[in-house]
Amino acid sequence: MKIVHAQTVLTDEQLAALKKKSNETSTKDALSIAVQHYLECEYTDMDDEMWTRKLEKVVQKKNKKD
């Protein structure tokens, strides 16, 4: 596996929110968790199938409440 270093620009508020949400104190770990989540999350695939799955889940939740 080849490892690379990547950089980005964030505001202090964005970084603090990311660390809080990921429950990490280091920038490196918070960013690593965020990237891994983005890559695994079904809602980050921007295609028709993704929207279909999302809408199906919304309808299922609504039907459970009724």
Side-chain angles (χ1 to χ4, degrees):
M1 174 187 301
K2 182 178 179 182
I3 297 174
V4 297
H5 291 272
Q7 294 180 343
T8 190
V9 177
L10 299 172
T11 65
D12 287 337
E13 293 82 14
Q14 287 173 319
L15 183 55
L18 182 61
K19 286 179 176 181
K20 181 178 180 180
K21 189 161 192 159
S22 66
N23 200 27
E24 293 292 337
T25 57
S26 78
T27 299
K28 181 181 85 170
D29 292 340
L31 285 170
S32 179
I33 287 171
V35 168
Q36 192 62 36
H37 171 74
Y38 184 85
L39 294 174
E40 293 174 355
C41 181
E42 66 182 273
Y43 296 121
T44 59
D45 292 328
M46 298 307 292
D47 60 14
D48 290 339
E49 188 177 322
M50 181 274 304
W51 290 110
T52 301
R53 286 192 310 264
K54 188 169 184 172
L55 286 172
E56 286 172 349
K57 287 184 179 183
V58 169
V59 169
Q60 287 172 357
K61 285 181 183 179
K62 185 178 181 334
N63 288 340
K64 286 182 182 178
K65 290 180 182 178
D66 294 340

